[in-house]
Amino acid sequence: MYGSWIVKLGSRARFSTVCLHAGQEPDPSTGAIITPIYQTSTYVQEELGKHKGYEYARTQNPTRSALERNIAAIEGGNAGFAFASGMAAIGAIATLLKAGDHAVVSENTYGGTFRLFDKVLSRYQLAFSYVDTSRLDLVERAFTPSTRMLFVETPTNPIMQLTDLAGAADVAHRHGVRLVVDNTFASPYVQQPISFGADLVVHSTTKYLNGHSDSVGGVVVAVGDEEFQWLKFVQNAEGAILGPFDAWLVLRGTKTLPIRMMQHNANGLALAEFLADQPHVRQVHYPGLPSHPQHDLAKRQMRGFGGMLAFDLGSLAAARCVLNSVRLLALAESLGGVETLISHPATMNHASVPADRRAALGITDGLVRISAGIEDIDDLKEDLAQALDAIK
């Protein structure tokens, strides 16, 4: 399941143990149990043409290497590549495409991903089709002779729609297409796309992997040798690397990923159930609710249902009232931190998506998104209750 380079771990090591130890070993010079922050730009060579595996910090850094090995193991892949942001990681994946190539993308993809594909990469003779990837018949119908990539988010942001990963892998591979999965919303604790057949997995490490809202980064995990060789080359050639301090912060985060995700799962479900009973709430989007149209798929494909949910209050005025009335929940962009965040997708994380497209996706002006943190659930419920009571 995991690469042979995992330090101290056998092939049967369980998930929590892999998170804690994979890719790391005590510092050989001091015995420090935590990987040091190698804050250096270059490395002294022993003699001309002879060095210790490190030449220049854009190309290699020991702290970044430890993180890359760690996350590759957590996701069950063969290699990881850490970048300066999640969007830089997605940009690196896009370099696998060539002029004239076509990619099929989840229609409810993250606003930043849509902006990159639609406003930037489309200028370079790349074509993108956006489809409801929860319907594999529509996915297959969208393929053309020039399709080279199927880019899927599951659950989607913020409507929490799911894609059958095993089914998507089957469709993609029958057509000779790579399956790329943005696993940021779920985290590798909740689902491991490679085990379902994905070729590449991408994360914004800013979110659940880091988990403490104090680092920005991204990572790509690869399975195949072709992707490995190319991403290694592109990471060095383009230089959008993750710095050593940020790599160290994410390594700290992955050590507690399993126990954090258990609480995120519990609080996400509890808030979804609470909101489903509130008179001002018209609809709750959360795969852990039996009312979710893909609840059965979520039970098969996910371990828990995650900490992300959204609910519709019917109007911008109602949404504004709640967003401005919460006290404990923080009105902020991003997700996946230990603190609970609340946001307004239409004007915040999906503001770059045209209004008519947002409406077609169900991202209404009354939609509110929550990233459930790990606070006491009763405190979160009380805060939401008083904010909902403020609606006139």
Side-chain angles (χ1 to χ4, degrees):
M1 181 179 179
Y2 302 110
S4 60
W5 36 257
I6 297 177
V7 177
K8 297 192 297 185
L9 300 180
S11 60
R12 296 179 61 188
R14 278 72 170 178
F15 186 83
S16 296
T17 305
V18 171
C19 288
L20 191 61
H21 293 288
Q24 302 160 84
E25 59 184 352
D27 177 53
S29 61
T30 65
I33 196 168
I34 297 298
T35 302
I37 304 169
Y38 287 91
Q39 194 70 48
T40 185
S41 62
T42 193
Y43 308 87
V44 174
Q45 302 191 18
E46 297 176 5
E47 57 184 68
L48 188 62
K50 183 181 179 182
H51 54 77
K52 298 179 179 179
Y54 298 92
E55 302 165 86
Y56 186 61
R58 184 185 72 248
T59 310
Q60 316 107 335
N61 178 277
T63 315
R64 191 178 84 224
S65 296
L67 174 65
E68 291 169 336
R69 293 192 299 265
N70 180 255
I71 297 178
I74 291 170
E75 276 289 9
N78 291 323
F81 303 90
F83 294 89
S85 68
M87 290 312 306
I90 291 172
I93 289 173
T95 65
L96 287 160
L97 299 171
K98 300 176 182 178
D101 285 351
H102 171 253
V104 176
V105 185
S106 294
E107 64 177 0
N108 184 205
T109 193
Y110 168 56
T113 303
F114 175 78
R115 179 173 53 215
L116 175 67
F117 291 171
D118 189 64
K119 305 301 183 186
V120 180
L121 298 182
S122 61
R123 300 176 63 192
Y124 299 96
Q125 295 181 287
L126 297 177
F128 301 90
S129 296
Y130 300 90
V131 303
D132 178 357
T133 55
S134 71
R135 290 187 53 187
L136 296 180
D137 61 322
L138 296 182
V139 171
E140 191 154 20
R141 198 178 306 165
F143 282 3
T144 73
S146 60
T147 304
R148 299 292 179 267
M149 183 177 292
L150 172 58
F151 188 100
V152 166
E153 283 186 40
T154 181
T156 59
N157 176 12
I159 301 300
M160 306 302 294
Q161 196 171 57
L162 306 184
T163 295
D164 182 334
L165 289 173
D170 178 63
V171 170
H173 296 159
R174 280 194 283 108
H175 290 268
V177 170
R178 289 186 178 94
L179 173 60
V180 180
V181 179
D182 186 335
N183 200 28
T184 299
F185 246 46
S187 89
Y189 176 87
V190 172
Q191 69 185 13
Q192 293 179 302
I194 289 171
S195 69
F196 293 98
D199 301 290
L200 293 164
V201 175
V202 62
H203 286 271
S204 168
T205 60
T206 312
K207 314 306 194 297
Y208 285 114
L209 291 174
N210 170 257
H212 293 78
S213 303
D214 55 12
S215 171
V216 172
V219 69
V220 182
V221 176
V223 177
D225 185 64
E226 181 182 355
E227 291 84 358
F228 165 79
Q229 296 296 339
W230 180 251
L231 288 168
K232 181 179 179 182
F233 175 81
V234 165
Q235 185 186 48
N236 183 54
E238 292 190 336
I241 56 167
L242 189 68
F245 184 52
D246 283 298
W248 184 86
L249 288 171
V250 181
L251 268 175
R252 176 206 57 182
T254 60
K255 291 181 186 300
T256 60
L257 178 66
I259 57 174
R260 285 189 289 107
M261 289 310 304
M262 284 189 278
Q263 194 61 45
H264 287 303
N265 280 348
N267 281 358
L269 178 60
L271 288 181
E273 291 173 338
F274 168 78
L275 288 164
D277 288 335
Q278 302 306 304
H280 290 294
V281 175
R282 296 190 176 185
Q283 185 176 10
V284 179
H285 301 279
Y286 185 72
L289 294 178
S291 59
H292 190 284
Q294 296 164 296
H295 180 61
D296 289 339
L297 174 62
K299 289 192 292 184
R300 296 196 308 269
Q301 187 168 277
M302 303 168 74
R303 177 165 61 176
F305 304 105
M308 300 303 303
L309 62 146
F311 59 102
D312 200 323
L313 290 166
S315 70
L316 177 59
R320 179 183 286 114
C321 181
V322 169
L323 292 164
N324 291 342
S325 298
V326 290
R327 300 163 186 161
L328 178 60
L329 280 69
L331 177 59
E333 299 267 7
S334 199
L335 60 104
V338 291
E339 57 284 303
T340 297
L341 305 180
I342 191 168
S343 65
H344 186 242
T347 60
M348 296 173 73
N349 46 284
H350 278 71
S352 61
V353 179
D356 58 342
R357 181 175 174 80
R358 289 199 306 268
L361 294 173
I363 305 174
T364 67
D365 287 346
L367 191 72
V368 174
R369 190 188 79 178
I370 290 179
S371 170
I374 64 172
E375 300 95 337
D376 188 288
I377 188 59
D378 289 330
D379 291 325
L380 296 175
K381 288 179 181 179
E382 288 174 8
D383 191 35
L384 276 173
Q386 65 83 25
L388 289 165
D389 285 344
I391 298 175
K392 304 302 182 185

